[in-house]
Amino acid sequence: MLRTHTCGELRAKHAGKAVTLAGWVQKVRTHGNLCFIDLRDRYGITQVTFKDRLASEAGKYHKEDVLQVAGKVLKKPEPNKHLATGEVEVAGKELVLLNKAKSLPLDLDNPDTTEETRLKYRYLDLRRADMQKKLMLRSKAAVAVREYFDKEGFIEIETPILGKSTPEGARDYLVPSRVNPGKFYALPQSPQIFKQLFQVAGLDKYVQIVKCFRDEDLRADRQPEFTQIDLEMSFVEEDDIYEATEGMVKHVWKKVLGVDIPTPFKRLPYKEAMLKYGSDKPDLRFDLQIQDVTSWANKTSFEIFKKAECVRCLQVNGGFSRKQADEFADIARTYGAKGLVILKKTKEGLEGSLAKFVKEPPVRMRENDYLFFIADIERIVAPALGALRLHLGRTLELIDTKQWNFLWVTEFPLMEWSKEYGRWVPMHHPFTSPNLEDRHLLKKAPHKARSRAYDLTLNGVELGGGSIRIHDFELQAEVFDALNISKEEQQNKFGFLIGALSYGAPPHGGIAFGFDRVIMLLVGADNIREVIAFPKTKDAEDLMMNSPNEVGEEQLDELSVGLKK
C-alpha cells in the first residue's frame, strides 16, 4: 500500500497512529539535525519531520519530487493555523523516493506566469491549489445538476458525436468519412435535433451534460469545444421551463456555495432590455438606464439629431477628464456609432458641442451631471450605449459585486440581420416557435415576428438559452420558407425532422446552459479557460499537444481529402 491516508486528512484524533503518506514535495526546510518537508497532494499538506540520518537524506530532495513517507502522527505543541492539518505533524521513520522531478518550466507559486506557459505545461499548471479547487468545484456542480434532475424525474440520454452538418448558426467542425469517400460527418453544435426527436419518441424530461463544438471566433466566454447542460420537456409552456431551470440553479448554488438563491427570477422582454440597457443580457446589479430622447432630439436645430432615426442617452454624475471622454467615444465607435455627443451641467449652465443648439436638456440635470448621447439607427445606438453603460458602471464603481442577479430575457425576435451572410437568420435556431400571434408575419415581414425564445442571464453573462419548439410540421416548413431555405435544402438537411414532426409530435421546449460559464461565475473567474482542464487558446490551438497539426499525404489519401495548394 503506497499510502494509508491523504496529505489533508490527519487531525489531532490521529495522534499516536502509524501512517504512510505519498505526495509531492511542497517545501523543504533544514535546521541542524532536523529536516521538515511539507508533503502535498490534492487533499492538502502535511508537515513531516525527519531527524539525524533521515534528516540528511530528506534534505537532498527538492520541490515537486514525489515521495512516500511512513511515520507516527504527533500532536504539535503550537498548531499551524494556516494548515487544515496544522494540529499535527508526522515523525518520519521511512522515506522512499518514488520519482525525481526536473526543474519546472513554470513557478507554481507565481500567479503572474504567462498564460502561454501555463497552457503549454497545463499538466503542471493543474497542480496549483487554485486550479484544483476550480476543477473540484466543477465536479461538485455536475453532481448537483444530475442529483437535481434525477430527483425531478429526468432521464439522461447520450446523443451522437458524429452527426450531420446543418445550418444552425456557427460553422461546423467536419469529420471526413473513410468508408464513404467525399462525405463528412459534423460534430454537434448542440444536441438540438436529437433532443427534439426524443420528445417525438415519448422520452420526455430528457437531460444531458454534453460536449458541443462550434468553429467560431473565440473570446473570454467561448471555446471551440464546450460543455452544455441540455434539457428538453414535453407538454410544457415557458413557465414550466422557467420553474425547472430555477429549481436547478437554486439547488446547485446551495450545494456548491451554500447560497440561497431567491426564486422566481425577474423577467424582462427583449425589446425592453435593449431599450433600457442596450443589451440582451443586461447586468442589473446597478440601476443606470438608457433614456430614449428621439422625439426631443428631432425637434432641436442640431443637424445630427434632426435626421436621426434613434437618439438615446445615459445620465451620470461625476467628473471626467478629456482622456476619459475620448475613451467613451472610442467605445461607441467600436459598435458602429459615428461618435458620442456630451452635454454637461455646470454652475454657469450647459457645456458641450450641443449646448448652443438647445435651451433645455431632455431630462432634469443636477450640477456636474453628464448626458452621453448617441444618434444613429436603433441596432447601432442600443449596443453602443449598452457597452458604455457597463464601462461607466465599472468606472464609477456602481456594480454590487456581491449580488447574484438572475434574469430571464423573453420574447426575442424570431430573426436577426447577419452582416456576414447579408440576410436574415434565426436569432436562436430555425426550430424555435414563433409567437403564434405573429404567424401571419412569416410571409410578409418575418423579421418583425416575435419568438417563444428565452435566455437566462446572470450579472450580465448569458448562462443559457432555449425556446418552445415548433411541433407542427406545417409551421416548421413556413419558418424554413421565411428563412429562404429552399424546399430541396429543407428535405436534404431536415427531412427526417419534418417527417418526425408529422407523426404526432407533442408540444415541447427546453433550454441549454453553458456549463463552463456557470462554473466560471461560481468560482469568480473572468475566463472559461480557467475552469476547463485542457482548453484551447484564443486562436483555437492546444499548446500542450501542439494541435491542430499537419497530417501526412497517406492519411489524407485514405480519407479521400485533398488540400488546396
Side-chain angles (χ1 to χ4, degrees):
M1 180 182 293
L2 284 176
R3 65 181 179 184
T4 58
H5 296 76
T6 70
C7 294
E9 188 175 349
L10 300 178
R11 299 291 187 274
K13 66 181 180 180
H14 296 99
K17 191 175 183 66
V19 299
T20 302
L21 306 178
W24 288 263
V25 173
Q26 177 70 17
K27 188 182 294 184
V28 180
R29 305 181 304 282
T30 302
H31 299 285
N33 69 334
L34 290 177
C35 182
F36 303 94
I37 288 183
D38 289 347
L39 200 64
R40 182 196 80 239
D41 61 15
R42 79 172 175 91
Y43 304 95
I45 294 174
T46 296
Q47 178 179 289
V48 186
T49 305
F50 298 94
K51 293 182 178 180
D52 303 326
R53 178 187 60 80
L54 279 178
S56 178
E57 181 182 345
K60 298 176 183 178
Y61 296 120
H62 301 90
K63 185 172 171 59
E64 301 306 314
D65 288 342
V66 186
L67 304 180
Q68 179 194 48
V69 300
K72 187 177 181 180
V73 180
L74 301 178
K75 192 170 180 179
K76 296 179 71 174
E78 294 184 15
N80 182 346
K81 296 180 180 179
H82 300 293
L83 289 179
T85 60
E87 293 179 298
V88 298
E89 63 181 350
V90 173
K93 303 298 182 185
E94 297 178 33
L95 176 61
V96 178
L97 174 65
L98 298 177
N99 209 338
K100 186 73 178 171
K102 296 193 300 183
S103 295
L104 269 58
L106 73 167
D107 183 354
L108 299 184
D109 298 320
N110 180 9
D112 296 325
T113 303
T114 65
E115 186 177 55
E116 183 178 354
T117 300
R118 291 180 60 200
L119 293 181
K120 184 175 181 180
Y121 299 99
R122 189 63 162 184
Y123 47 87
L124 296 178
D125 187 55
L126 291 178
R127 288 186 189 176
R128 296 175 190 268
D130 67 314
M131 289 302 299
Q132 294 190 351
K133 285 178 183 177
K134 290 170 185 174
L135 292 183
M136 287 188 281
L137 183 145
R138 183 185 176 107
S139 174
K140 191 174 182 179
V143 170
V145 168
R146 288 190 165 98
E147 184 179 73
Y148 169 79
F149 283 119
D150 180 64
K151 182 181 176 183
E152 294 297 313
F154 284 74
I155 54 174
E156 184 161 2
I157 316 173
E158 296 178 348
T159 48
I161 292 297
L162 296 176
K164 182 177 184 177
S165 181
T166 57
E168 292 180 33
R171 297 178 186 86
D172 290 322
Y173 280 102
L174 299 178
V175 181
S177 171
R178 178 185 59 81
V179 296
N180 297 282
K183 295 185 177 181
F184 295 82
Y185 299 104
L187 303 183
Q189 295 185 32
S190 78
Q192 182 61 47
I193 292 177
F194 293 110
K195 68 181 185 179
Q196 288 192 248
L197 294 176
F198 285 148
Q199 308 314 299
V200 176
L203 295 164
D204 69 329
K205 300 186 84 170
Y206 140 91
V207 71
Q208 186 181 188
I209 298 180
V210 59
K211 278 286 186 183
C212 301
F213 308 85
R214 291 181 187 169
D215 186 4
E216 59 186 352
D217 295 334
L218 305 186
R219 53 189 187 216
D221 61 354
R222 283 184 180 174
Q223 280 278 291
E225 54 178 314
F226 57 96
T227 305
Q228 275 188 186
I229 306 171
D230 199 51
L231 63 108
E232 197 81 4
M233 304 164 68
S234 290
F235 305 110
V236 292
E237 294 183 327
E238 288 87 339
D239 285 347
D240 300 295
I241 305 296
Y242 299 159
E243 184 179 350
T245 297
E246 290 171 3
M248 184 272 289
V249 168
K250 192 175 184 71
H251 182 76
V252 170
W253 257 251
K254 183 65 175 177
K255 278 281 187 176
V256 175
L257 298 182
V259 173
D260 285 307
I261 298 296
T263 56
F265 300 154
K266 183 177 178 179
R267 303 177 191 179
L268 191 67
Y270 169 87
K271 191 171 183 179
E272 186 178 345
M274 295 303 294
L275 175 65
K276 292 183 177 179
Y277 305 105
S279 173
D280 59 4
K281 47 181 183 295
D283 190 339
L284 301 188
R285 291 176 295 172
F286 64 111
D287 191 28
L288 176 60
Q289 293 189 13
I290 297 168
Q291 302 179 65
D292 192 305
V293 293
T294 306
S295 297
W296 169 86
N298 290 163
K299 295 174 185 175
T300 69
S301 58
F302 190 48
E303 202 64 28
I304 295 173
F305 282 7
K306 285 174 66 176
K307 299 178 179 179
E309 172 191 305
C310 178
V311 184
R312 293 175 185 170
C313 71
L314 282 166
Q315 180 178 9
V316 294
N317 188 271
F320 300 105
S321 66
R322 177 66 190 213
K323 182 180 178 182
Q324 285 178 306
D326 290 341
E327 288 175 358
F328 299 161
D330 288 341
I331 290 170
R333 292 189 191 97
T334 301
Y335 287 81
K338 297 177 181 66
L340 191 67
V341 177
I342 302 175
L343 188 65
K344 181 184 178 182
K345 177 73 175 286
T346 68
K347 286 182 179 179
E348 289 72 31
L350 299 177
E351 286 185 0
S353 58
L354 183 62
K356 62 183 178 181
F357 295 97
V358 299
K359 292 181 180 179
E360 291 292 334
V363 297
R364 185 176 178 181
M365 296 178 71
R366 301 168 297 163
E367 185 181 332
N368 219 29
D369 264 6
Y370 284 77
L371 291 181
F372 298 103
F373 297 89
I374 296 180
D376 213 304
I377 57 175
E378 184 177 7
R379 68 169 180 261
I380 287 178
V381 172
L385 278 175
L388 180 57
R389 173 183 179 269
L390 278 177
H391 184 78
L392 288 168
R394 298 185 189 108
T395 301
L396 299 174
E397 298 182 348
L398 302 176
I399 300 173
D400 181 357
T401 57
K402 295 180 181 179
Q403 281 192 41
W404 297 104
N405 203 311
F406 291 89
L407 172 72
W408 288 107
V409 179
T410 65
E411 298 182 43
F412 279 81
L414 189 66
M415 302 180 187
E416 63 181 342
W417 182 257
S418 169
K419 290 182 181 178
E420 183 177 357
Y421 298 109
R423 60 181 174 84
W424 293 98
V425 298
M427 182 167 267
H428 280 71
H429 52 61
F431 319 113
T432 296
S433 175
N435 187 312
L436 296 184
E437 294 178 1
D438 295 347
R439 186 170 182 172
H440 67 283
L441 295 172
L442 293 177
K443 291 183 179 179
K444 304 175 185 177
H447 60 284
K448 293 182 179 180
R450 294 166 296 165
S451 74
R452 298 182 70 183
Y454 36 80
D455 281 357
L456 180 63
T457 72
L458 170 59
N459 297 349
V461 176
E462 179 193 333
L463 286 188
S467 66
I468 300 300
R469 323 300 187 189
I470 298 169
H471 70 279
D472 177 343
F473 72 95
E474 292 181 345
L475 178 56
Q476 183 66 77
E478 287 179 39
V479 170
F480 284 151
D481 290 342
L483 291 166
N484 291 319
I485 300 175
S486 67
K487 295 294 184 184
E488 181 181 358
E489 190 176 4
Q490 289 178 34
Q491 285 301 315
N492 183 37
K493 299 285 189 182
F494 306 111
F496 60 95
L497 175 63
I498 296 172
L501 296 180
S502 70
Y503 290 111
H508 59 282
I511 191 169
F513 299 91
F515 186 55
D516 309 296
R517 291 184 186 179
V518 171
I519 304 304
M520 178 183 76
L521 291 169
L522 282 170
V523 304
D526 56 9
N527 193 309
I528 62 171
R529 291 194 289 273
E530 287 297 307
V531 297
I532 297 174
F534 297 103
K536 305 292 189 292
T537 68
K538 60 182 177 61
D539 296 317
E541 295 177 315
D542 184 330
L543 299 180
M544 183 186 71
M545 297 192 73
N546 192 29
S547 70
N549 62 320
E550 297 175 347
V551 298
E553 289 291 338
E554 183 178 341
Q555 193 172 357
L556 291 173
D557 289 343
E558 191 175 28
L559 295 170
S560 301
V561 172
L563 298 178
K564 286 186 176 181
K565 301 297 184 182

